[in-house]
Amino acid sequence: MTEVFLASTAVVALAEIGDKTMLLAIVLAARLRAPWQILAGILAATLANHGLAALVGSEVAGLIDAPWFRTAVAIGFIAMAAWTLVPDKLDDDEESITRRGGPFLTTLVAFFLVEMGDKTQIATIALGAQYNDVLTVAAGTTLGMMLANAPAVFLGEELVKRVSLKATRIAAALLFLVLGLWQLADIAGWLG
């Protein structure tokens, strides 16, 4: 259980650095100037989004517990490694966020929608499928999101100036690659 929690936290915390939702957190912090309400919105959106994603992954894995499915999940992690190397940017419509409904509601809705189909959501689905532990995966991935986004909300542009997004993307890609290769090795029976 600790392994699942730590792996989920690390994967998402690293994958989130420089991700579209982290950029959104910076934009929201600059425009709304309500860091605690923004963090609460990010937390609520992530709990809902990643809870559903981990559940989907776990349910699909429970229905299809076959070597070919486990291989597909492993290949998915390897594909995530490649995707993580591609820098994200906010789309024009996401930059036009206005203050409708206050900082919490604005953040909740914007973060939930932007996270749909995002790298960290796909990673959460894959982690849910791999570990078949919805609560631990969702808790770990949510903590990973908060670890990456809290500094973004409070430090914003200064954080981007000081942290090498390229190096962080490479570290996240390596972590996805290791998870994928580890699962392939386990499927092949090389791990014991």
Side-chain angles (χ1 to χ4, degrees):
M1 188 160 143
T2 302
E3 173 193 334
V4 174
F5 181 77
L6 292 175
S8 299
T9 301
V11 163
V12 170
L14 286 172
E16 182 64 10
I17 303 293
D19 190 66
K20 188 168 34 171
T21 45
M22 183 181 188
L23 299 175
L24 176 63
I26 292 169
V27 169
L28 289 169
R31 292 198 178 156
L32 303 177
R33 306 236 184 258
W36 293 107
Q37 291 179 48
I38 292 167
L39 283 178
I42 291 171
L43 177 62
T46 303
L47 283 169
N49 195 297
H50 287 206
L52 290 171
L55 180 63
V56 166
S58 179
E59 288 300 311
V60 170
L63 293 173
I64 310 170
D65 190 22
W68 70 266
F69 181 74
R70 291 179 45 218
T71 302
V73 170
I75 291 169
F77 276 118
I78 294 168
M80 287 296 297
W83 187 12
T84 301
L85 293 173
V86 178
D88 273 342
K89 63 181 170 79
L90 283 177
D91 299 333
D92 291 337
D93 59 333
E94 291 159 352
E95 290 178 358
S96 66
I97 293 166
T98 58
R99 193 180 185 139
R100 292 187 200 124
F104 172 78
L105 187 58
T106 299
T107 303
L108 174 74
V109 171
F111 222 83
F112 185 85
L113 293 175
V114 170
E115 184 64 12
M116 297 300 284
D118 196 50
K119 285 182 278 212
T120 50
Q121 185 192 43
I122 303 297
T124 302
I125 292 170
L127 288 163
Q130 179 176 354
Y131 293 118
N132 202 18
D133 186 344
V134 174
L135 293 178
T136 306
V137 167
T141 59
T142 299
L143 178 60
M145 288 289 276
M146 298 310 292
L147 288 172
N149 284 299
V153 169
F154 287 108
L155 303 174
E157 293 294 327
E158 287 301 313
L159 179 69
V160 174
K161 289 178 189 172
R162 297 179 192 275
V163 175
S164 168
L165 298 181
K166 182 178 180 180
T168 306
R169 278 193 306 275
I170 291 169
L174 287 173
L175 186 55
F176 280 122
L177 181 63
V178 166
L179 284 171
L181 293 175
W182 183 278
Q183 184 151 345
L184 287 175
D186 185 45
I187 293 165
W190 298 340
L191 299 179

